[in-house]
Amino acid sequence: MADETLNQAETAANDEKSESWAQLAWTHLECVRNSSSPPLIQCITNLVSMDLVANVLLSAGASPAMIHSVEEIPDFTPKVHALYINVGTLTPAWLPAMKMAAAVANESNRPWILDPVAAGASAFRLKACLELLTLGPTVVRGNGSEILVLFNGSANANFKGADSMHESTDAIEAAKSLARTYGCIVAVSGAVDIVTDGERVVGAKNGVPILQKITATGCAVTALIAAFVAVTPSQPFEATAAALSVFGVAGELGMCSAGGPGSLRMHLIDALHSLDRTAVLQRAKIANVS
């Protein structure tokens, strides 16, 4: 029944494809919210991000499940609507679970999303990210430096952890190449969030700079991408751009009531929960990038 509801939601989103990007962004959020059974998102994510990731998913209307044990994956992962893998606090013990979950998601025809946090920080981390890439993620979302490291396939001695040393626009060609090579959507976060399928390129220009001062906002927006892709699995390009824009709009609205990063975290979640059609249509900024 849950899958039937999600198929109906995807049909509704398909009906909106001739509409504007802002309308598409709203339609994807509405599809998540209006599913009779909230889309179940399995999150194998880092320890720092679990709380914010879960709350962002709940606020959007999805259902998070923080399950990463290899003993549970064969039974649980086939039941989810999307899988989200984030390597932020990667350990040798967690990597086999990530690979197993990706393989099971593929076998079960479920989309899965990869967030290659700090991919170039160490040889171990880069090798793990490249191995996960070969398993065929539906979407990869990283900052400019992370995407460039994946493209180059080599660690960077000057890599600054999860912080990017590059603008998102610096990584457009690398993102397009990765998308073509691995048959996935690649998103590059930055002042303008870039999304490409290897041919098409769009930019989402929403959000506020202070979001960078809140830990795990990047992790949270990748989880939102997973929820949007879950309800429209045949439209990962559109779903990814929509999620990035909607999250940014929530940040903008949250900032109207916030006094700094601490209160913005709270107001971001509230804004996402109460986001309405008028706000999305007026504020969502997604456009083609030449």
Side-chain angles (χ1 to χ4, degrees):
M1 180 58 107
D3 282 342
E4 181 180 346
T5 301
L6 293 179
N7 287 337
Q8 292 171 352
E10 184 170 17
T11 298
N14 278 324
D15 291 341
E16 299 289 348
K17 287 204 72 172
S18 62
E19 301 296 328
S20 69
W21 271 108
Q23 179 61 53
L24 272 172
W26 168 248
T27 299
H28 279 81
L29 178 59
E30 194 174 36
C31 286
V32 174
R33 288 176 171 175
N34 290 346
S35 298
S36 61
S37 177
L40 180 60
I41 312 301
Q42 181 182 357
C43 305
I44 304 180
T45 189
N46 70 76
L47 300 172
V48 178
S49 73
M50 286 186 181
D51 175 78
L52 185 58
V53 163
N55 280 300
V56 162
L57 286 172
L58 287 168
S59 295
S63 178
M66 273 50 186
I67 288 180
H68 60 266
S69 167
V70 292
E71 288 79 10
E72 293 186 282
I73 286 168
D75 293 330
F76 186 79
T77 302
K79 303 173 185 176
V80 307
H81 297 109
L83 167 68
Y84 167 38
I85 295 178
N86 176 303
V87 303
T89 50
L90 182 66
T91 70
W94 278 40
L95 184 55
M98 293 175 177
K99 292 180 178 178
M100 178 187 289
V104 172
N106 289 337
E107 292 166 3
S108 305
N109 197 30
R110 296 294 192 256
W112 69 276
I113 319 301
L114 174 63
D115 193 329
V117 180
S122 70
F124 167 69
R125 183 174 293 268
L126 177 58
K127 182 173 183 288
C129 289
L130 293 174
E131 289 173 351
L132 288 166
L133 261 181
T134 65
L135 297 177
T138 309
V139 180
V140 178
R141 201 269 339 152
N143 62 37
S145 294
E146 291 160 350
I147 297 303
L148 285 166
V149 162
L150 294 182
F151 171 70
N152 292 322
S154 59
N156 187 334
N158 297 317
F159 206 87
K160 297 174 60 180
D163 296 330
S164 184
M165 300 182 294
H166 300 87
E167 298 295 333
S168 57
T169 49
D170 296 335
I172 290 177
E173 292 306 316
K176 290 171 66 177
S177 178
L178 286 171
R180 289 191 295 265
T181 298
Y182 294 99
C184 63
I185 305 302
V186 177
V188 193
S189 292
V192 178
D193 296 321
I194 299 298
V195 182
T196 182
D197 59 3
E199 300 300 331
R200 296 175 292 174
V201 182
V202 297
K205 194 175 183 180
N206 287 107
V208 290
I210 200 172
L211 282 170
Q212 298 176 32
K213 301 299 183 182
I214 305 172
T215 189
T217 51
C219 308
V221 76
T222 313
L224 189 63
I225 291 171
F228 280 29
V229 173
V231 296
T232 56
S234 70
Q235 300 178 36
F237 178 76
E238 293 82 359
T240 300
L244 289 163
S245 184
V246 164
F247 189 85
V249 169
E252 293 168 4
L253 294 173
M255 195 63 217
C256 294
S257 304
S263 54
L264 176 57
R265 185 184 191 276
M266 174 183 69
H267 290 297
L268 168 70
I269 295 169
D270 287 348
L272 181 58
H273 175 71
S274 61
L275 201 57
D276 61 23
R277 183 176 184 271
T278 299
V280 174
L281 294 186
Q282 289 180 348
R283 288 178 171 266
K285 299 175 182 176
I286 307 172
N288 293 330
V289 175
S290 56

